[in-house]
Amino acid sequence: MDPILPSPVPVLFGQSLLIGLSIAAPVGQIGLLAIQRTLDHGRPAGLATGLGAAFADAVYGAIGAFGITGLVAWLLSLKLWLGLFGGGFLLWLAWRIATKPVMRSLGGPPPRSTLLRYVAGTFVLTMSNPTTILSFMAVFGALAGRAPSASPWVMVVGVLVGSALWWLILSAGVGWLRDRFDGRWQRAVNLCSAALLAGLGLWQLGHLII
């Protein structure tokens, strides 16, 4: 009797989950924002910040999985304007973080409207980097060639779950450390986050000129 092979759908979901996790894990501008907001307002704020990026990763994953080349070309044609918006937005966030006083919410989670604003803000910030689509297309094109025809949605959900899992882990870990940070340390973290965000914003703007 032939051995029972694993179903391609669960395997594909697991591969896509790992892709989403690996894309979210490197600490960039969204990671810095998630850490800073977790320290300021608690785990829900950090998780909401990360989920905005997770939803954007899922959108990019859908574009790559379904091979929507027309949309890819259109987004890449807007690379300059999206890059200017993303770089300017990062500089604005850096200025806000550096100039605002240390905040420490000890009560319940932020209002739902604030959490939704965090989700929307990081979604737009992540979507302002359309060149990410190219990496998604390369990876998802290879996966789709060995997958069943109904698999694109499996890949999209896998990326979303993997990315969201990372933001859950990060916000939980930073939330655990939050109680061990006093105001002085939190101020130092805010200033470091602002400097790094400003550096990323300037790098993104400078990269458009080169």
Side-chain angles (χ1 to χ4, degrees), residues 49 51-53 55-57 59 118-128:
T49 299
L51 286 179
F55 289 132
D57 289 341
V59 172
Y118 288 166
V119 172
T122 49
F123 176 84
V124 172
L125 182 59
T126 306
M127 290 296 293
S128 69

Side-chain angles (χ1 to χ4, degrees), residues 69-131:
T69 55
L71 182 56
V72 173
W74 178 71
L75 286 172
L76 291 178
S77 71
L78 298 177
K79 178 181 176 181
L80 175 62
W81 297 108
L82 291 172
L84 288 172
F85 169 80
F89 191 45
L90 286 174
L91 292 176
W92 177 76
L93 285 173
W95 176 80
R96 280 202 61 185
I97 293 172
T99 56
K100 74 176 184 179
V102 173
M103 300 174 60
R104 193 173 182 84
S105 175
L106 299 177
R112 181 176 299 180
S113 59
T114 300
L115 296 179
L116 291 175
R117 180 164 53 85
Y118 288 166
V119 172
T122 49
F123 176 84
V124 172
L125 182 59
T126 306
M127 290 296 293
S128 69
N129 185 19
T131 53

Side-chain angles (χ1 to χ4, degrees), residues 2-180:
D2 294 334
I4 299 176
L5 297 177
S7 170
V9 171
V11 171
L12 185 65
F13 177 81
Q15 291 172 332
S16 302
L17 186 149
L18 290 176
I19 291 172
L21 189 63
S22 63
I23 289 173
V27 178
Q29 58 262 37
I30 307 301
L32 292 172
L33 282 174
I35 291 171
Q36 186 266 326
R37 286 173 177 170
T38 302
L39 291 175
D40 278 356
H41 305 293
R43 294 181 182 90
L47 180 58
T49 299
L51 286 179
F55 289 132
D57 289 341
V59 172
Y60 277 140
I63 295 172
F66 287 96
I68 310 174
T69 55
L71 182 56
V72 173
W74 178 71
L75 286 172
L76 291 178
S77 71
L78 298 177
K79 178 181 176 181
L80 175 62
W81 297 108
L82 291 172
L84 288 172
F85 169 80
F89 191 45
L90 286 174
L91 292 176
W92 177 76
L93 285 173
W95 176 80
R96 280 202 61 185
I97 293 172
T99 56
K100 74 176 184 179
V102 173
M103 300 174 60
R104 193 173 182 84
S105 175
L106 299 177
R112 181 176 299 180
S113 59
T114 300
L115 296 179
L116 291 175
R117 180 164 53 85
Y118 288 166
V119 172
T122 49
F123 176 84
V124 172
L125 182 59
T126 306
M127 290 296 293
S128 69
N129 185 19
T131 53
T132 309
I133 301 175
L134 299 178
S135 60
F136 270 108
M137 288 186 66
V139 175
F140 275 61
L143 289 179
R146 306 191 304 269
S149 59
S151 62
W153 287 114
V154 176
M155 291 190 282
V156 172
V157 173
V159 166
L160 177 62
V161 172
S163 183
L165 179 61
W166 166 252
W167 298 116
L168 178 62
I169 294 171
L170 180 66
S171 59
V174 176
W176 179 77
L177 292 172
R178 181 175 183 250
D179 296 334
R180 292 155 177 78

